[in-house]
């Protein structure tokens, strides 16, 4: 860890704070051919992140590097016991017995990464959503938010809950009056959508440290729908040549959300409701 990784964030996380999006990697688990992953991204490394940020709960997200093999994330989740949940990749052929097993291990969602390198296609999202809805799971979606207008009708047809990654990942960012951003607001208004306030570097053109072009999006979402916002570190920041220091990921929340009560809701209450902690 770099010295900056030991710096404390600007505010102390409340008891029970949850990181709703991060990934584990280990050479013990084979990756999809051609994929690479960050080093030092196992259980003991993440415990250091938790210590610095004051986090208690974690949601492990199946990364694209492992395709449809969820073994790595499940092994890491086991080390955190009741404080861990997961979002894994399943498809239309996944047996119901496997869905039941995953549910018992703490999995609460099915991931759809709709950018290059994702493991499952748009064509199966409705079928998968119907299957996992029986277990109370949500669909977790990562896409370029600029595609939302053409996907709005489909997403509104899905049963259950939808979770949208990384402030919508509008690439490049849009104004809050943009038609694509308004689609996200309509999904939130429907009461079955959540958004993760995380990883602005995935869409920002202005870049670190302030990500000025993503800030209006994040602040608008948090003010309009605080009851549907989640926070995440996106540790260990795959694909980033200069990953954010641990404290910087939490400090962004202070930039986007002004009051302590709302941060409590985003860090503790909302994830407890969504993931069943």
């Amino acid at each position: 860890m770099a010295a900056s990784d030991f710096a404390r964030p600007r505010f102390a996380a409340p008891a029970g704070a949850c990181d709703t999006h991060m990934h584990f990697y280990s050479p013990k688990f084979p990756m999809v051919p051609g994929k690479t992953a960050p080093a030092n991204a196992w259980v003991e490394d993440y415990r250091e992140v938790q210590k610095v940020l004051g986090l208690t709960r974690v949601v492990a997200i199946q990364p694209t590097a492992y395709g449809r093999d969820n073994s790595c994330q499940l092994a890491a989740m086991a080390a955190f016991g009741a404080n861990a949940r997961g979002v894994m990749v399943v498809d239309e052929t996944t047996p119901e017995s496997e869905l039941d097993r995953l549910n018992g291990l703490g999995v609460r969602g099915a991931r759809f990464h709709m950018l290059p390198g994702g493991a499952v296609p748009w064509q199966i999202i409705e079928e998968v959503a119907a299957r996992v809805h029986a277990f109370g799971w949500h669909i977790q979606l990562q896409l370029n938010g600029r595609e939302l207008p053409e996907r709005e009708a489909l997403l509104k047809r899905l049963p259950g809950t939808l979770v949208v990654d990384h402030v919508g990942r509008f690439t490049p960012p849009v104004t809050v009056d943009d038609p694509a951003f308004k689609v996200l607001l309509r999904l939130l208004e429907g009461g079955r959508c959540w958004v993760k306030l995380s990883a602005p570097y995935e869409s920002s053109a202005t870049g670190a440290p302030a990500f000025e072009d993503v800030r209006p999006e994040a602040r608008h979402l948090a003010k309009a729908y605080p009851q549907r916002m989640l926070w995440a570190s996106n540790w260990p920041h795959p694909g980033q040549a200069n990953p954010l220091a641990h404290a910087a990921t939490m400090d962004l929340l202070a930039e986007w959300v002004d009051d302590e009560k709302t941060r409590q809701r985003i860090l503790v209450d909302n994830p407890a409701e969504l993931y069943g902690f």
Side-chain angles (χ1 to χ4, degrees):
M1 294 174 67
S4 60
D5 284 333
F6 292 97
R8 297 289 176 177
R10 288 164 48 184
F11 68 94
C18 181
D19 183 349
T20 67
H21 192 116
M22 51 74 60
H23 313 286
F24 292 104
Y25 299 92
S26 169
K28 295 179 181 179
F29 299 90
M31 294 184 185
V32 173
K35 293 283 188 179
T36 59
N40 303 318
W42 193 237
V43 170
E44 59 272 18
D45 306 297
Y46 187 70
R47 289 196 192 279
E48 291 298 322
V49 179
Q50 287 186 310
K51 188 182 302 182
V52 169
L53 298 183
L55 303 173
T56 303
R57 297 164 175 165
V58 61
V59 183
I61 309 299
Q62 171 74 349
T64 59
Y66 291 115
R68 304 187 190 194
D69 181 358
N70 300 305
S71 303
C72 180
Q73 307 312 298
L74 295 172
M77 284 168 58
F80 293 88
N83 283 324
R85 296 290 187 271
V87 175
M88 300 298 130
V89 170
V90 297
D91 61 25
E92 77 281 17
T93 69
T94 304
E96 187 168 343
S97 58
E98 174 64 3
L99 295 177
D100 188 58
R101 183 183 80 91
L102 293 172
N103 190 66
L105 294 174
V107 176
R108 295 295 180 265
R111 187 181 199 204
F112 278 77
H113 185 283
M114 313 316 296
L115 296 163
V120 284
W122 278 111
Q123 287 79 3
I124 67 169
I125 193 170
E126 288 189 89
E127 183 176 353
V128 170
R131 298 189 67 211
V132 303
H133 182 54
F135 293 90
W137 293 11
H138 59 267
I139 293 296
Q140 180 179 310
L141 178 65
Q142 187 165 156
L143 80 169
N144 183 339
R146 287 172 173 264
E147 296 179 30
L148 283 171
E150 64 190 86
R151 304 292 181 182
E152 181 177 9
L154 167 64
L155 296 176
K156 286 183 173 178
R157 287 199 303 268
L158 301 181
T161 301
L162 175 70
V163 178
V164 178
D165 287 343
H166 303 337
V167 202
R169 198 167 174 170
F170 297 90
T171 310
V174 296
T175 68
V176 298
D177 295 322
D178 189 272
F181 193 80
K182 288 184 175 180
V183 173
L184 184 57
L185 295 177
R186 286 197 292 272
L187 291 170
L188 287 161
E189 185 178 359
R192 296 191 293 118
C193 181
W194 305 72
V195 174
K196 294 183 182 180
L197 300 176
S198 56
Y201 46 74
E202 295 287 15
S203 57
S204 176
T206 57
F211 305 102
E212 289 95 344
D213 49 357
V214 177
R215 188 174 188 267
E217 298 173 340
R219 287 186 62 84
H220 189 92
L221 290 168
K223 184 175 182 179
Y225 294 98
Q227 74 278 19
R228 286 291 178 265
M229 295 297 109
L230 306 161
W231 172 86
S233 70
N234 200 40
W235 183 87
H237 315 287
Q240 298 300 306
N242 298 295
L244 293 179
H246 303 327
T249 63
M250 185 73 78
D251 287 345
L252 284 169
L253 187 62
E255 293 291 328
W256 297 339
V257 178
D258 296 327
D259 64 290
E260 183 178 347
K261 183 177 179 180
T262 303
R263 291 197 294 264
Q264 159 85 26
R265 187 170 200 169
I266 293 170
L267 287 167
V268 182
D269 303 336
N270 291 350
E273 177 183 346
L274 178 64
Y275 298 103
F277 285 108

